[in-house]
Amino acid sequence: MEQLTLRGVSKSFGSLQAVNELDLSVGEGCIYGLLGPNGAGKTTTIRMIMDILAPDQGEIRILGQPNSSRVRDRVGYLPEERGLYRKMKVGHLLLFLAELKGVKKTTAKERIDYWLERFDLLGWSQKKIEELSRGMQQKLQFIVSFLHSPKLVILDEPFTGLDPVNINLVKEVMLEEKRKGTSIILSTHLMEQAEKLCDQICLINEGEKVLDGGLNEIKANYGKNTVVLEYEGQADFLTDKEVVESYDDYGKWVEIHPSPGINPQAILKRASQEVTIFKFELVEPSLNEIFIQTVQKGKE
Ligand code: ATP
């Protein structure tokens, strides 16, 4: 069953078309990346799903049903703006929110202990929210979105404010929950994380869908036409449009897109004339590269 379906959903703010006739379909037990540059319309889309904003037109179905407060109670939601009751104690807040979503007290208490321990927050249960660091509050909000064991979870920029250890923990939990059959919508700018986690992606730009489908298929469609080059020296050829259409500099290596009709061997030849090569590999483009290419194409 489709866990979330959007058909022709639009929203404008005055003359700005923030989301334009968007169609989405999220299946069971998958991580679905809702991706796009700043201002693309991701948060507006999520807010319409959560009924914080009313769509101007279009249909939203959640867990196979028309959008209603009842069905939304079965959705986990991590909003972009975090806002927890600052004066409440951690344990009380979690219990209050779990019971609000219909979880029985005994079950809620068990789950709260489990999650607090999982996120290394057990010792903070009696502290007020305002005493927690930003990252700890972020972890707490992440816990809130899973506390009632929802079948569908929407995470708007879940990695914000987290250190690498906690980013890994959040990723681990997302993958575990997915394996249990939960569908997770992940809105993020971090393409590296999206690439590791997402089964499906939808890339939106200026409110319109510009690319969607299975991540593996999308990457395979681009083919192994990208060169990863690790080198030392002055690589002037990178700015020679006759051989290199575009490149992304990652510091330690560059990801190169050959110009149309240019064989990667020609790149290898030019590179070897100018720099010392440590690694030369033909790969599928990274999601970051696909993102940049697709968004830039839209601007041409
Ligand atoms: P980011 O990645 O920067 O968070 P986003 O993809 O989530 O961006 P949205 O927050 O959905 O983008 O914004 C889409 C567009 O709608 C932007 O141009 C934004 O300025 C505009 N917008 C969003 N909310 C409002 C609002 N309440 N009133 C007016 N304009 C808005």
Side-chain angles (χ1 to χ4, degrees):
M1 182 180 72
E2 282 183 1
Q3 304 296 82
L4 176 72
T5 316
L6 266 64
R7 277 198 209 103
V9 171
S10 299
K11 178 77 192 172
S12 59
F13 299 106
S15 59
L16 178 89
Q17 192 70 47
V19 176
N20 192 18
E21 304 213 350
L22 186 65
D23 295 327
L24 286 187
S25 154
V26 180
E28 252 170 290
C30 74
I31 301 184
Y32 188 97
L34 187 59
L35 313 174
N38 290 130
K42 306 179 295 292
T43 298
T44 303
T45 302
I46 291 173
R47 287 186 179 148
M48 287 190 282
I49 299 167
M50 294 314 294
D51 201 39
I52 298 162
L53 287 171
D56 297 336
Q57 61 178 56
E59 188 195 8
I60 298 175
R61 291 182 73 84
I62 299 175
L63 304 173
Q65 294 174 32
N67 199 350
S68 68
S69 66
R70 216 178 142 149
V71 72
R72 279 193 308 278
D73 270 351
R74 292 160 58 203
V75 176
Y77 174 43
L78 174 74
E80 194 185 35
E81 288 98 37
R82 329 293 188 211
L84 295 167
Y85 306 97
R86 298 181 58 77
K87 300 285 176 200
M88 266 179 106
K89 288 185 179 162
V90 169
H92 283 158
L93 176 77
L94 292 177
L95 188 59
F96 168 72
L97 292 174
E99 287 190 291
L100 208 63
K101 290 279 169 83
V103 185
K104 288 207 181 87
K105 197 175 226 147
T106 41
T107 314
K109 282 184 170 168
E110 278 168 22
R111 284 191 199 159
I112 289 166
D113 283 349
Y114 167 79
W115 283 113
L116 287 179
E117 183 162 14
R118 191 77 205 272
F119 279 91
D120 208 16
L121 287 171
L122 210 47
W124 293 83
S125 174
Q126 294 307 312
K127 302 272 186 203
K128 285 186 184 159
I129 305 294
E130 63 189 5
E131 294 175 68
L132 270 58
S133 74
R134 200 162 79 101
M136 287 175 184
Q137 290 189 31
Q138 168 73 358
K139 289 199 281 184
L140 206 58
Q141 282 229 277
F142 187 81
I143 293 175
V144 169
S145 52
F146 283 93
L147 211 47
H148 54 302
S149 301
K151 286 290 286 169
L152 175 67
V153 180
I154 302 175
L155 304 172
D156 200 350
E157 297 287 356
F159 305 113
T160 311
L162 295 181
D163 65 35
V165 172
N166 283 307
I167 287 180
N168 269 348
L169 188 55
V170 162
K171 281 199 301 207
E172 217 175 271
V173 170
M174 286 171 69
L175 289 169
E176 270 171 31
E177 292 298 317
K178 174 187 108 162
R179 279 183 215 114
K180 286 187 207 158
T182 310
S183 298
I184 299 174
I185 296 174
L186 166 68
S187 174
T188 182
H189 293 109
L190 303 178
M191 291 304 124
E192 209 185 309
Q193 309 300 352
E195 179 150 21
K196 286 183 191 147
L197 287 166
C198 295
D199 306 290
Q200 307 267 322
I201 61 158
C202 171
L203 179 56
I204 56 175
N205 190 28
E206 295 177 354
E208 308 225 0
K209 181 159 77 179
V210 285
L211 183 69
D212 72 338
L215 184 54
N216 290 342
E217 292 86 67
I218 288 175
K219 289 183 74 168
N221 273 345
Y222 276 75
K224 287 197 171 182
N225 63 349
T226 300
V227 173
V228 168
L229 176 72
E230 245 180 79
Y231 69 98
E232 199 174 75
Q234 180 70 27
D236 291 330
F237 72 96
L238 288 176
T239 51
D240 181 350
K241 287 280 177 201
E242 280 190 16
V243 279
V244 173
E245 185 172 70
S246 62
Y247 69 96
D248 273 318
D249 196 343
Y250 291 92
K252 286 197 165 168
W253 74 90
V254 277
E255 201 175 297
I256 302 170
H257 262 266
S259 292
I262 293 293
N263 189 304
Q265 292 305 319
I267 305 256
L268 178 60
K269 200 169 159 202
R270 273 292 296 276
S272 62
Q273 287 162 2
E274 294 179 15
V275 297
T276 308
I277 297 172
F278 299 126
K279 181 176 165 187
F280 184 92
E281 194 183 356
L282 277 180
V283 295
E284 288 170 346
S286 61
L287 183 54
N288 198 46
E289 179 64 29
I290 293 172
F291 178 98
I292 292 169
Q293 268 190 38
T294 314
V295 169
Q296 272 173 353
K297 209 183 283 168
K299 284 192 181 147
E300 283 165 12

